[in-house]
Amino acid sequence: MSAKIIDGRACASSIREEVADHVVRLKVGQAITPGLAVVLVGEDPASEVYVRNKSRQTVEVGMNSFEHKLPAETSEGELVALIGQLNTDPAVHGILVQLPLPDHFDSDFVIGAIDPTKDVDGFHVSNVGLLWTGQKALVPCTPLGCLILLRYQLGDLSGLNAVVVGRSNIVGKPMAQLLLADNCTVTLAHSRTRDLAAVCRSAEILVVAVGRPQMIPGDWVRPGATVIDVGINRIVAPNGVGKPRLVGDVNFPSAFEIAGAITPVPGGVGPMTIACLLANTVTACCRVNGLPEPEGLTACRPERRVARG
Ligand code: NDP
């Protein structure tokens, strides 16, 4: 039997609608317009596309978008000074520094300069620590999007065996923490994991974020498992002819025959990332103004789901 396709585009669209509704309430009721500042350093073409998409969607949901494009030769001091200005600007509720930064930057230092209450990417160590201790954090957008898709597909995740392949700070580690907070039994696998195939086959939930095109074949997937493919890889046809196409880290055609449900690439996790960024900006805006957070959006926050005792 083939898998159900988890439609990330549809889910992201309903999140954006909810964000837009809340933005209207903030504008009309409080005279506040949430604002997102995106900082891009250098001319990486992929980053330019991401930043353009983020800015466009920010405006589409009624928020203010502040784009800051800096030349690749910008010094770390200049970038941190800009972040300092954005930290104190009351019109800016979220700050995102597009990664990767050019090589001469220390990304951890730069991210550390962002006010944690405006850190809508959730990469600041304060937010990382809050997330790991089950407190109110701003949660990294891609894993948050994956969690929402999993809850949408499976409902309560309690007790399920979850395997996350990939342990990066931006995807794998926070993903594992979110699943743990949702009471899954979590294995975090990586390049040194022994018998990765067997580890993957144990997963009722399999989240893959390795950045290797189609690395996970269908016979590593447990029958009926829910598979979330975070990977975005651009590949060209073997003969080099035709346009490059996007594939995930999972071999979709073979996994589709075995899994119970699976995200496609494109159209799965990708659209969720920007939708969650917009949701995080509204959340940050509400928190800083002491206003109630949007109910539908906060319902999926991890601190609401940690069962104690
Ligand atoms: P990183 O390169 O930072 O991390 C990759 C992880 O995969 C590492 O932990 C690495 O292990 C692990 N890994 C690499 N090779 C293997 C292997 N053969 N077996 C097991 N584990 C392996 O990548 P990111 O987390 O930043 O991104 C992962 C993918 O997700 C990429 O395709 C990226 O484009 C995509 N992505 C998509 C987003 C979206 O919006 N949909 C957002 C962010 C990323 P080790 O630590 O041992 O080296």
Side-chain angles (χ1 to χ4, degrees):
M1 208 176 72
S2 348
K4 179 189 165 197
I5 306 273
I6 302 173
D7 187 347
R9 285 199 182 105
C11 195
S13 161
S14 70
I15 291 173
R16 282 196 305 273
E17 274 173 31
E18 199 176 335
V19 168
D21 284 351
H22 209 81
V23 170
V24 170
R25 280 198 288 280
L26 285 169
K27 283 179 169 175
V28 173
Q30 310 290 337
I32 296 171
T33 304
L36 173 64
V38 179
V39 182
L40 173 65
V41 186
E43 276 142 26
D44 177 59
S47 293
E48 284 187 346
V49 172
Y50 289 138
V51 165
R52 235 189 348 263
N53 285 340
K54 285 167 188 170
S55 301
R56 180 177 48 79
Q57 292 192 29
T58 303
V59 172
E60 279 171 5
V61 296
M63 301 200 287
N64 287 329
S65 168
F66 307 101
E67 237 181 82
H68 295 268
K69 287 192 177 171
L70 306 178
E73 318 75 70
T74 302
S75 72
E76 200 163 81
E78 287 167 324
L79 177 56
V80 168
L82 170 62
I83 292 171
Q85 284 169 27
L86 299 173
N87 283 343
T88 55
D89 184 342
V92 172
H93 303 95
I95 302 169
L96 180 149
V97 176
Q98 184 66 43
L99 299 177
L101 287 166
D103 287 347
H104 63 283
F105 288 95
D106 174 347
S107 299
D108 291 337
F109 179 73
V110 171
I111 299 300
I114 299 173
D115 176 345
T117 65
K118 297 190 177 188
D119 168 40
V120 282
D121 250 344
F123 295 162
H124 191 288
V125 286
S126 294
N127 281 311
V128 174
L130 291 168
L131 177 63
W132 276 86
T133 50
Q135 300 178 67
K136 235 180 198 187
L138 284 166
V139 177
C141 305
T142 299
L144 181 58
C146 296
L147 182 74
I148 293 170
L149 291 178
L150 283 166
R151 287 185 182 164
Y152 162 75
Q153 174 61 27
L154 296 168
D156 185 4
L157 309 184
S158 286
L160 295 175
N161 281 334
V163 171
V164 180
V165 189
R167 56 175 164 179
S168 70
N169 288 337
I170 62 171
V171 187
K173 283 181 197 157
M175 186 73 245
Q177 180 52 35
L178 289 173
L179 291 164
L180 191 59
D182 256 29
N183 303 309
C184 292
T185 302
V186 182
T187 303
L188 187 48
H190 45 79
S191 66
R192 310 292 174 91
T193 297
R194 269 189 253 150
D195 200 353
L196 184 61
V199 171
C200 289
R201 281 190 205 110
S202 73
E204 293 167 289
I205 293 171
L206 180 61
V207 182
V208 186
V210 294
R212 291 179 184 267
Q214 302 176 312
M215 191 192 102
I216 308 284
D219 64 358
W220 289 20
V221 174
R222 174 176 168 148
T226 301
V227 178
I228 304 290
D229 188 353
V230 182
I232 300 179
N233 309 287
R234 198 172 291 275
I235 59 167
V236 286
N239 57 6
V241 178
K243 280 211 284 191
R245 64 189 179 101
L246 291 184
V247 297
D249 292 342
V250 176
N251 182 298
F252 185 87
S254 60
F256 177 67
E257 296 302 327
I258 313 275
I262 186 166
T263 55
V265 178
V269 175
M272 293 297 286
T273 299
I274 301 186
C276 288
L277 173 69
L278 304 176
N280 275 353
T281 305
V282 171
T283 299
C285 175
C286 292
R287 286 182 186 171
V288 81
N289 286 291
L291 297 168
E293 294 170 34
E295 192 47 46
L297 298 175
T298 52
C300 62
R301 305 246 161 234
E303 70 273 4
R304 297 278 293 263
R305 302 279 296 211
V306 180
R308 300 190 191 282

